[in-house]
Amino acid sequence: MMTDGSASSPPPATVDGEPPRQLAAVAPGEPPLLVPLVPAPAPGDLPSRFPSPFAHDGPHPLALRAARALLDELTQATGPLDAQDGGEPLVRLRLTEGKMFAVLVAEARGGTIGYLRAFSGMLEGRWQVPGFVPPLFDEAAREPWWTQAQAQLGRWQEELAELRVGTAALAQEDAWRALQQRQQRELEAMSDEHRERRAQRHRERAGPPPEGPPAARAAWLHSLDQQSRGDKAQRRRQEAAHAEERQALESARTSRAQQVEHLEQLRAGRSAAFQRQLFELYVVPGADGSARPLRELFAPQEPPSGAGDCAGPKLLGYALRHGLRPLALAELWWGPPPPGGGRHHGQFYPACRGKCGPLLPAMLEGLDVDPAPVFGVPQDAPASHDSQDAPASHDSQDAQASHASQEARVSHDLHDAQPPRTPDERRPSRPGAAFELCLVYEDPWLLVIDKPCGLLSVPGRTPELRDSVLTRLRQRYPEARGPLLVHRLDLDTSGLLIAAKHAATHADLQRQFAQRQVQKRYLAWLDGQITGACGTVELALRPDLDDRPRQIYDPIHGKAAVTRWRVLRVEAAHTLVELQPSTGRTHQLRVHAAHPLGLGAPICGDRLYGRLAPRQGSVIDALDHPLDHPLDHPLDHTLGHPLDHPRRHPLDYAHDHALGHPLDHTLGHPLAAPRLLLHASELCLRHPSTGELLTFCSNAPFPGEAPPAET
């Protein structure tokens, strides 16, 4: 159970298989919320510098120890979360929605190494929960005006609800719909009557004319014309009568809509003013001794709603105010995923960019901190990620090279292909080496490239992100005109890209993409097994404004996104699927695979939407005993660590647990996948100049078929 450290001392904590794990007693003279790590870490176990809170490679081992203790407490939180002396009632953690929690390992002035705990935002309607650090703002300073502000906003919200869905509003909408339906029926009945009379006139005109002089025939035709004009006049009179009948109700509905708009503007303006006033209460401390207003760190823009309320800033704020030296931070999600997806129970996640991007670096100034990653990849990472070197060679033979992972079914052969290369030979052998850009097909109008994982399609905004497919194509084909690249692939996705050498060719190819005439096929290994053999995912997507470039599911404001899928093979906890996107939204395949309303199994190696690692994996995988989900959502215990994988850090195996299923040592465990296992394997389109149907293929640089299970 968690306590605030003042009413009573928590029992000692143990780790590494010494049950039961409970909180350690707070050391005398130390901040009351610092929980010492027992046994104390050896000096060699401390990080040499603070790990970047934005890194995607999992937490430091010390933060993992603290997270394990927090996980134990959260697991027991379906029982008492905290208990106060004096017979006060126990508080239970219901977690009706998922929540981001975090731990910060820190060193006190006396040398004690311990950890702090925090949650993002509010927990069950409370800013302060015993055992967790308080918010950055001073609640006492907020209360004199915040309660009144909330009450005013609440009254406006109630008025808006009454105007939108109140009894009078619903009755008005019912009356409007009934009136529209009745008028529509009347017009349809009149149309049927007029249609029959028109058919009768056609039959009369087609038949023999009446006998008599020409004047009689002319009068007869004039009579038929007058009937037609009469029907049209009757229609106009009916529509005018309907419009007059609708006028009073339309006026009432317009008046109500204007009231709603006025209240929305009033509420939005006051809410923004209250938010600014609230932000003035946030003072952000820095490790260098500074203290800055929250709004200053986001200037000239206003901070986003909820800035300063994430778990990371709370932890650093408390540590710095109490003289603690931060050592390592870990943030993890507990509970069901949010509606937009992108979060998995028990998984570690880096700090968000939108809210914490300006905050955490300012708070860590004065400490030796690992560099923040670029696109989730550390700047000093191996060359299997972003390369900053020069483009590939312009040599014509090398430009036409083909290897074992590429094929092209086109109207003619590539006669000057080089000897095939293995996927490992394509990958740079040293940090900073350039990726090889392989050409699959070229003619006077277009070319097809096989993009490697880790190379941008187009350059980024900073110098270290200048290297890209487009940059290299511009240098290789200086005479080419127009935008060149017709479409893009994510940084972490490999496979086929098509480029146009002329503006007219580019326009034609883009039209084919826009009209969904281009057939695209991807191969992906999923981290888990899925239900069914094939199907379609339709989840509308939009950017996560607080954590770009992440995308989330939003059925209201998102753009339509459709993906067809088919299972090709299932091997242990991996599923090989074929994905065919009908739309081209950012990260569409990755979100559709990971979201519970999609396939419910992230793509292996997905550092944005999957299970974090390779360094540590999820905290659940690191535990040496199973966990029960607090909301009776059973966890997937089929996912373990591989017994051996050459790319994994030795610390990965510190808490491995055997789960008794065969492992694919070529593919590796999904948590240890060295890259995103997603490859654009096929493109089918019509040649803009010749009209010929072309199909281009590229074998994935990871196993397209899982090998037989080990015995």
Side-chain angles (χ1 to χ4, degrees):
M1 294 183 291
M2 300 179 184
T3 70
D4 61 3
S6 58
S8 61
S9 296
T14 59
V15 296
D16 297 331
E18 299 181 14
R21 292 196 190 97
Q22 296 174 321
L23 294 184
V26 176
E30 303 296 1
L33 295 179
L34 182 69
V35 181
L37 285 172
V38 180
D45 294 337
L46 303 183
S48 58
R49 54 184 180 177
F50 192 88
S52 171
F54 303 103
H56 286 257
D57 59 351
H60 187 274
L62 282 185
L64 176 62
R65 282 183 60 182
R68 293 178 65 203
L70 175 61
L71 258 292
D72 281 343
E73 294 166 338
L74 292 176
T75 303
Q76 299 166 11
T78 47
L81 170 64
D82 58 79
Q84 303 296 319
D85 290 343
E88 292 194 14
L90 299 175
V91 179
R92 292 180 178 270
L93 185 61
R94 299 177 186 86
L95 277 179
T96 55
E97 60 182 10
K99 175 68 63 175
M100 192 70 79
F101 290 85
V103 291
L104 175 69
V105 179
E107 182 180 14
R109 291 190 181 96
T112 301
I113 306 295
Y115 65 92
L116 303 168
R117 296 157 297 189
F119 50 83
S120 178
M122 302 176 73
L123 184 61
E124 296 190 334
R126 293 187 293 171
W127 285 106
Q128 298 202 40
V129 174
F132 293 92
V133 301
L136 275 179
F137 63 85
D138 184 353
E139 277 199 284
R142 188 190 69 161
E143 284 309 312
W145 61 270
W146 181 251
T147 302
Q148 295 182 1
Q150 290 292 89
Q152 178 62 73
L153 294 176
R155 286 193 294 271
W156 284 332
Q157 189 63 32
E158 290 176 359
E159 292 181 37
L160 283 170
E162 183 64 26
L163 287 170
R164 288 179 177 135
V165 295
T167 303
L170 293 178
Q172 188 180 79
E173 290 304 306
D174 288 342
W176 175 253
R177 282 191 295 271
L179 177 60
Q180 285 186 312
Q181 291 169 1
R182 178 176 59 79
Q183 291 184 348
Q184 183 65 27
R185 289 194 300 270
E186 291 175 355
L187 289 177
E188 289 175 354
M190 180 178 290
S191 296
D192 292 341
E193 180 182 351
H194 290 173
R195 191 178 301 109
E196 177 58 32
R197 287 154 64 172
R198 184 168 57 253
Q200 178 61 32
R201 290 195 295 272
H202 288 167
R203 288 192 294 270
E204 291 183 21
R205 289 191 179 98
E211 296 180 358
R217 175 178 171 79
W220 170 69
L221 291 174
H222 178 71
S223 173
L224 294 178
D225 291 341
Q226 286 295 93
Q227 292 177 26
S228 177
R229 295 188 186 96
D231 288 347
K232 293 177 181 178
Q234 184 184 21
R235 175 82 180 198
R236 289 194 296 270
R237 289 193 299 272
Q238 184 66 57
E239 289 176 344
H242 282 173
E244 184 177 359
E245 187 179 17
R246 291 195 306 268
Q247 185 175 6
L249 198 49
E250 279 183 330
S251 178
R253 294 181 74 245
T254 300
S255 175
R256 181 165 58 89
Q258 291 172 345
Q259 293 179 60
V260 168
E261 183 180 5
H262 172 71
L263 274 179
E264 284 178 336
Q265 293 175 350
L266 185 62
R267 187 180 186 279
R270 292 301 296 160
S271 179
F274 290 149
Q275 188 72 70
R276 289 192 296 270
Q277 189 175 354
L278 176 62
F279 283 147
E280 294 295 341
L281 301 179
Y282 287 75
V283 177
V284 181
D288 57 358
S290 63
R292 283 175 280 185
L294 177 72
R295 295 180 65 194
E296 176 184 312
L297 298 177
F298 287 87
Q301 288 80 27
E302 287 294 329
S305 178
D309 296 332
C310 294
K314 287 184 183 181
L315 288 167
L316 286 173
Y318 182 91
L320 296 175
R321 287 195 301 265
H322 288 80
L324 302 174
R325 182 170 73 94
L327 297 176
L329 176 70
E331 300 191 37
L332 60 99
W333 183 264
W334 182 264
R343 297 288 185 264
H344 301 280
H345 175 62
Q347 298 297 318
F348 291 115
Y349 291 94
C352 67
R353 295 280 185 167
K355 297 178 183 179
C356 296
L359 273 181
L360 296 183
M363 302 180 82
L364 293 171
E365 286 184 7
L367 294 179
D368 189 10
V369 182
D370 281 339
V374 178
F375 275 76
V377 181
Q379 294 177 16
D380 54 356
S384 58
H385 299 294
D386 290 314
S387 171
Q388 302 176 28
D389 276 10
S393 169
H394 292 203
D395 181 80
S396 59
Q397 289 187 343
D398 183 66
Q400 296 292 337
S402 179
H403 53 79
S405 67
Q406 295 175 321
E407 296 175 354
R409 294 197 300 269
V410 293
S411 58
H412 60 278
D413 296 327
L414 298 177
H415 298 290
D416 52 354
Q418 297 296 311
R421 305 181 185 182
T422 66
D424 286 341
E425 290 177 308
R426 293 181 58 213
R427 186 170 296 281
S429 59
R430 61 180 177 83
F435 287 104
E436 179 182 345
L437 193 60
C438 298
L439 194 65
V440 174
Y441 171 79
E442 181 179 13
D443 65 22
W445 298 275
L446 58 86
L447 59 145
V448 179
I449 307 104
D450 195 348
K451 184 188 90 69
C453 170
L455 182 64
L456 292 166
S457 294
V458 297
R461 298 180 180 179
T462 56
E464 62 267 20
L465 298 177
R466 64 180 175 81
D467 189 21
S468 67
V469 173
L470 180 60
T471 304
R472 299 184 185 192
L473 290 179
R474 290 283 186 206
Q475 296 187 27
R476 181 174 291 180
Y477 301 96
E479 73 285 354
R481 297 292 179 263
L484 273 178
L485 278 187
V486 179
H487 62 119
R488 304 178 186 181
L489 292 177
D490 294 342
L491 170 75
D492 294 337
T493 304
S494 59
L496 297 172
L497 273 176
I498 187 167
K501 296 182 178 180
H502 313 285
T505 301
H506 184 275
D508 185 281
L509 290 170
Q510 281 227 315
R511 177 190 57 77
Q512 292 187 49
F513 272 93
Q515 296 178 359
R516 303 182 183 180
Q517 297 173 353
V518 178
Q519 301 299 315
K520 296 169 287 182
R521 178 176 177 266
Y522 292 73
L523 291 177
W525 277 103
L526 303 185
D527 182 4
Q529 296 187 8
I530 60 179
T531 302
C534 61
T536 302
V537 177
E538 298 185 43
L539 296 176
L541 304 177
R542 69 165 175 84
D544 184 346
L545 301 181
D546 294 327
D547 198 12
R548 295 178 184 270
R550 189 185 298 273
Q551 306 291 305
I552 59 175
Y553 166 57
D554 187 339
I556 305 299
H557 303 101
K559 294 183 178 180
V562 181
T563 303
R564 291 179 294 161
W565 59 273
R566 180 168 64 96
V567 172
L568 302 179
R569 185 180 178 93
V570 177
E571 182 70 21
H574 306 155
T575 304
L576 179 65
V577 294
E578 174 187 287
L579 302 172
Q580 297 185 37
S582 299
T583 51
R585 309 302 178 200
T586 302
H587 297 177
Q588 173 178 322
L589 300 182
R590 299 163 70 176
V591 178
H592 281 186
H595 198 282
L597 297 179
L599 297 180
I603 297 175
C604 296
D606 194 334
R607 52 201 169 102
L608 282 180
Y609 307 100
R611 296 176 171 88
L612 254 186
R615 185 166 70 183
Q616 294 294 347
S618 75
V619 70
I620 289 177
D621 288 316
L623 291 171
D624 52 9
H625 58 82
L627 289 176
D628 293 325
H629 195 289
L631 295 177
D632 295 325
H633 292 256
L635 297 175
D636 181 4
H637 292 290
T638 63
L639 299 178
H641 291 291
L643 301 178
D644 186 26
H645 196 287
R647 296 183 183 271
R648 295 186 68 204
H649 192 283
L651 288 172
D652 292 351
Y653 307 104
H655 305 293
D656 279 358
H657 54 288
L659 295 176
H661 64 77
L663 294 168
D664 171 5
H665 289 286
T666 304
L667 177 63
H669 187 271
L671 296 181
R675 53 153 293 180
L676 178 72
L677 300 187
L678 175 65
H679 183 76
S681 60
E682 186 174 304
L683 273 176
C684 183
L685 52 91
R686 194 163 295 280
H687 196 287
S689 180
T690 67
E692 183 179 4
L693 189 65
L694 303 179
T695 299
F696 305 98
C697 295
S698 167
N699 290 339
F702 49 81
E705 282 191 349
E710 293 182 350
T711 58

